[in-house]
Amino acid sequence: MTGPYVLQPDPFAPGLSTSVTGIDQNGEPVETRVVTEKPLTLYLNRQEVVTMMTIGDHPDLLAVGYLKNQNMLADDDVITDIDYDDDLDVVIVRTERETNFEEKLKKKVRTSGCAQGTVFGDVMEGFETVSLSADARLKTSWLYSLTKTINTTPSLYLEAGAIHGCVLCQEDRPLVYMEDVGRHNAVDKIAGWMVLNDITASDKIFYTTGRLTSEMVIKTVMMGIPILVSRSGFTAWGVDLARQAGLTLIGRARGKRFVALAGQDRIEFDMDPLHADEEPDKIRRKGSVFAE
Amino acid sequence: MTGPYVLQPDPFAPGLSTSVTGIDQNGEPVETRVVTEKPLTLYLNRQEVVTMMTIGDHPDLLAVGYLKNQNMLADDDVITDIDYDDDLDVVIVRTERETNFEEKLKKKVRTSGCAQGTVFGDVMEGFETVSLSADARLKTSWLYSLTKTINTTPSLYLEAGAIHGCVLCQEDRPLVYMEDVGRHNAVDKIAGWMVLNDITASDKIFYTTGRLTSEMVIKTVMMGIPILVSRSGFTAWGVDLARQAGLTLIGRARGKRFVALAGQDRIEFDMDPLHADEEPDKIRRKGSVFAE
């Protein structure tokens, strides 16, 4: 399943997971893999911004994506350097423009999303002015094909569990699949990749394993992506915001089933759900998968 | 299933979830429930501490529990008043002792856990000095009984999904079951209940739907609870911390199966897993449950 991806997880890359020994329900020894996380401190020019817990596979993408999604990197900002020091677990993003976010950094909101405890005061500012592509489409055949491919792609999730994943897609092709212990890190890595590769957002589909909370919706809209899909569920505010922004919002997408609560007009029902596969047992009972 | 609980979810209480209309995979209209979240701003005496997104069912417990778990409320602090204003969505906790956490509030760490973006500098301080009860036990018969009862308790999770739950238990009895959009809020509500009711921690079992990350382990240890169980998985650092603190750490607990990666000595295998029930389909395929 490596064909379609530009970037995908490398579950056996050193440092991302570790093998541990314990006992199972029979009292028998069992060896299993668990994900590893480490702190990464992000600087924008000379300013310390935040310390994030991350699996640490793409510190550059995470740094740039975080800054972009927190409105600390403008569309016309020129990144001159990304400096990652893996001894100190520090990454410094340098821009041509001088930056000063001292005041912004003071206003924090602890929110309901994973790994997202900080929403800077004016992230919502741009939200009301974003206009998402009216021409973007989601064919249900693409949706079924995407979820099937994504669910069978080798990943830390399948190997060790306890991790979130996001995938940037185009039509029925998954492009970039990112994982992290914190769902917002996975989103930010994709955002970082899009910034650094100057990727168009208006024809993309965003898939996430995480819940469709307000922050998830806000991020997707601010990234300019018109379609958001999750295997998980919704919150009322997330639905409201999606409707406000004209985002196509699809949740509880498992096997044949899904529910669309916003932006239904973009959906083309070109495939009879009876012909879609049920979700394989292995995915459904994910919590009990042991790596041998 | 209302017998054993002191406090349990009231999924149909007004304001916690809302009904929305959308379309399903057949393009047919579907009505479904989604959880609602709203901001709650917490003050400790005159100081604004944080704004949290919460379903809003127990602002008092959430406020006290948050402060306790962030080390902003000492064991000997006397709470004189808890003032909740539901128009302003503000809760003020007042203590006899004057408090000043201006400096502490500056040091933030974005972590991998849900709804936990802030770890104040010295939360880890107490961690190394905590001594968990060596006499505490977990019989596997209790574990199976607990998960079965919890999974069938009416809850927002079963009605609307996209929400985390935590349950404080004693032997095979679930006592307090709290839910919230953010997993850490659910934990904090239980901590708040324990503070306000002066509850012993050393003989309790903590069950969570969320992942066993470092923050989850730290919180459980700091609350003095010696056994932590989750249906979800582990992170390496969570496992390390659990072993360091002597916490019994059980994850991937679904139906018959579980994995224990720390504190195995407290577990008594008094029941043949063959006699335990498999997880009902409804729980396994949770993501596709529609409320009629």
Side-chain angles (χ1 to χ4, degrees):
Chain A
M1 283 278 131
T2 53
Y5 290 100
V6 173
L7 268 181
Q8 66 186 104
D10 181 5
F12 297 105
L16 304 185
S17 66
T18 192
S19 192
V20 289
T21 307
I23 55 173
D24 69 10
Q25 63 279 355
N26 296 308
E28 296 297 322
V30 63
E31 194 171 320
T32 187
R33 294 200 78 79
V34 295
V35 294
T36 54
E37 47 180 336
K38 53 179 188 169
L40 178 69
T41 302
L42 165 59
Y43 282 79
L44 173 59
N45 299 312
R46 282 172 299 179
Q47 181 155 44
E48 180 179 346
V49 175
V50 72
T51 296
M52 299 179 271
M53 298 304 297
T54 167
I55 56 174
D57 54 350
H58 296 286
D60 52 341
L61 302 185
L62 178 55
V64 171
Y66 177 91
L67 293 173
K68 182 72 169 66
N69 281 344
Q70 294 292 335
N71 258 8
M72 295 174 85
L73 212 59
D75 284 339
D76 58 355
D77 260 319
V78 176
I79 295 168
T80 54
D81 194 27
I82 304 169
D83 222 329
Y84 171 54
D85 183 325
D86 75 346
D87 282 324
L88 299 176
D89 290 320
V90 165
V91 61
I92 305 169
V93 176
R94 291 193 173 88
T95 56
E96 260 180 22
R97 182 173 64 98
E98 268 202 41
T99 51
N100 184 355
F101 290 102
E102 191 68 45
E103 282 313 300
K104 261 195 201 178
L105 287 167
K106 285 187 178 161
K107 173 70 181 166
K108 308 274 184 169
V109 175
R110 177 211 235 188
T111 61
S112 56
C114 290
Q116 173 68 12
T118 62
V119 173
F120 295 108
D122 59 0
V123 163
M124 287 299 293
E125 232 175 60
F127 183 83
E128 271 138 36
T129 59
V130 172
S131 179
L132 297 173
S133 161
D135 300 328
R137 287 290 170 270
L138 176 69
K139 294 187 180 180
T140 49
S141 59
W142 297 345
L143 182 57
Y144 294 134
S145 173
L146 284 171
T147 51
K148 186 175 176 183
T149 304
I150 292 166
N151 284 341
T152 50
T153 300
S155 63
L156 278 167
Y157 178 66
L158 288 175
E159 286 306 318
I163 200 166
H164 275 297
C166 293
V167 190
L168 184 72
C169 312
Q170 188 165 8
E171 296 188 353
D172 64 343
R173 179 186 173 191
L175 296 170
V176 176
Y177 183 163
M178 290 287 174
E179 302 185 287
D180 213 321
V181 278
R183 174 169 55 121
H184 284 275
N185 288 355
V187 180
D188 288 349
K189 284 178 194 172
I190 288 179
W193 180 81
M194 292 176 76
V195 167
L196 294 170
N197 293 279
D198 205 23
I199 302 294
T200 307
S202 55
D203 60 349
K204 303 296 189 292
I205 297 158
F206 201 86
Y207 172 92
T208 177
T209 57
R211 294 170 295 162
L212 297 167
T213 58
S214 50
E215 310 97 296
M216 195 61 225
V217 169
I218 291 167
K219 273 195 175 179
T220 307
V221 169
M222 298 297 284
M223 286 165 72
I225 300 170
I227 300 166
L228 174 59
V229 181
S230 171
R231 45 184 298 110
S232 297
F234 309 86
T235 66
W237 199 23
V239 174
D240 277 352
L241 290 167
R243 289 174 175 182
Q244 204 176 306
L247 174 76
T248 297
L249 189 71
I250 293 172
R252 303 183 191 147
R254 300 184 180 207
K256 300 180 175 191
R257 299 182 186 83
F258 66 78
V259 176
L261 294 181
Q264 289 92 316
D265 292 347
R266 291 194 184 91
I267 305 173
E268 280 180 28
F269 294 85
D270 70 325
M271 182 169 165
D272 187 342
L274 288 176
H275 298 134
D277 298 326
E278 283 291 3
E279 204 161 63
D281 276 356
K282 184 182 183 192
I283 303 297
R284 276 193 294 150
R285 286 198 304 271
K286 179 61 190 71
S288 53
V289 169
F290 299 122
E292 295 297 354
Chain B
M1 283 281 132
T2 54
Y5 289 99
V6 174
L7 269 181
Q8 65 187 106
D10 181 5
F12 296 105
L16 304 186
S17 65
T18 193
S19 191
V20 289
T21 307
I23 56 173
D24 69 9
Q25 63 279 354
N26 295 310
E28 295 297 321
V30 64
E31 194 170 318
T32 185
R33 295 199 78 79
V34 295
V35 292
T36 54
E37 48 180 334
K38 52 181 188 168
L40 179 69
T41 302
L42 166 60
Y43 282 79
L44 173 61
N45 297 313
R46 281 171 299 180
Q47 181 156 43
E48 181 178 347
V49 176
V50 72
T51 297
M52 299 180 270
M53 297 304 296
T54 167
I55 56 174
D57 55 350
H58 296 286
D60 51 340
L61 302 185
L62 177 53
V64 171
Y66 178 90
L67 293 172
K68 182 73 170 63
N69 281 344
Q70 295 292 337
N71 259 7
M72 296 174 83
L73 213 60
D75 285 337
D76 57 354
D77 261 319
V78 176
I79 295 169
T80 54
D81 195 27
I82 305 169
D83 222 328
Y84 171 54
D85 184 327
D86 75 347
D87 284 324
L88 299 176
D89 291 319
V90 165
V91 61
I92 305 168
V93 176
R94 293 192 173 86
T95 55
E96 260 180 21
R97 181 173 63 98
E98 270 201 40
T99 50
N100 182 357
F101 290 102
E102 192 68 46
E103 282 313 301
K104 258 195 205 180
L105 287 168
K106 285 188 179 163
K107 173 70 180 168
K108 309 275 185 172
V109 173
R110 178 210 233 187
T111 61
S112 56
C114 287
Q116 173 68 10
T118 61
V119 173
F120 297 108
D122 59 359
V123 162
M124 287 299 294
E125 233 175 58
F127 183 83
E128 272 138 35
T129 59
V130 172
S131 179
L132 297 173
S133 162
D135 300 329
R137 287 290 171 269
L138 176 68
K139 294 187 180 182
T140 48
S141 60
W142 297 344
L143 182 57
Y144 294 136
S145 174
L146 284 171
T147 51
K148 188 175 176 182
T149 303
I150 291 167
N151 284 343
T152 51
T153 300
S155 63
L156 278 167
Y157 177 67
L158 287 174
E159 285 306 316
I163 199 166
H164 275 296
C166 292
V167 190
L168 183 72
C169 311
Q170 188 167 11
E171 297 189 349
D172 65 343
R173 181 188 174 190
L175 296 170
V176 175
Y177 182 164
M178 291 286 173
E179 302 186 285
D180 213 322
V181 279
R183 172 170 55 122
H184 284 275
N185 288 356
V187 179
D188 288 348
K189 282 177 194 171
I190 287 178
W193 181 81
M194 291 176 77
V195 167
L196 292 170
N197 293 277
D198 204 24
I199 303 296
T200 307
S202 56
D203 60 349
K204 303 297 188 291
I205 296 158
F206 202 86
Y207 172 92
T208 177
T209 56
R211 294 171 294 161
L212 297 168
T213 57
S214 50
E215 310 96 299
M216 195 61 225
V217 168
I218 290 167
K219 273 195 174 177
T220 307
V221 168
M222 298 297 283
M223 286 165 71
I225 299 170
I227 299 166
L228 175 60
V229 180
S230 171
R231 48 184 296 111
S232 297
F234 310 87
T235 64
W237 197 23
V239 173
D240 277 352
L241 289 168
R243 289 174 174 182
Q244 205 178 307
L247 174 76
T248 296
L249 189 70
I250 292 172
R252 302 183 193 149
R254 299 182 181 206
K256 299 180 174 188
R257 299 181 183 82
F258 66 77
V259 176
L261 294 181
Q264 290 93 318
D265 291 347
R266 290 193 184 92
I267 304 172
E268 281 180 28
F269 294 85
D270 70 323
M271 182 169 164
D272 187 342
L274 287 177
H275 297 135
D277 298 326
E278 283 291 2
E279 203 159 65
D281 275 357
K282 184 183 182 191
I283 302 296
R284 276 193 294 149
R285 285 199 304 270
K286 179 61 190 70
S288 52
V289 168
F290 300 121
E292 293 298 354

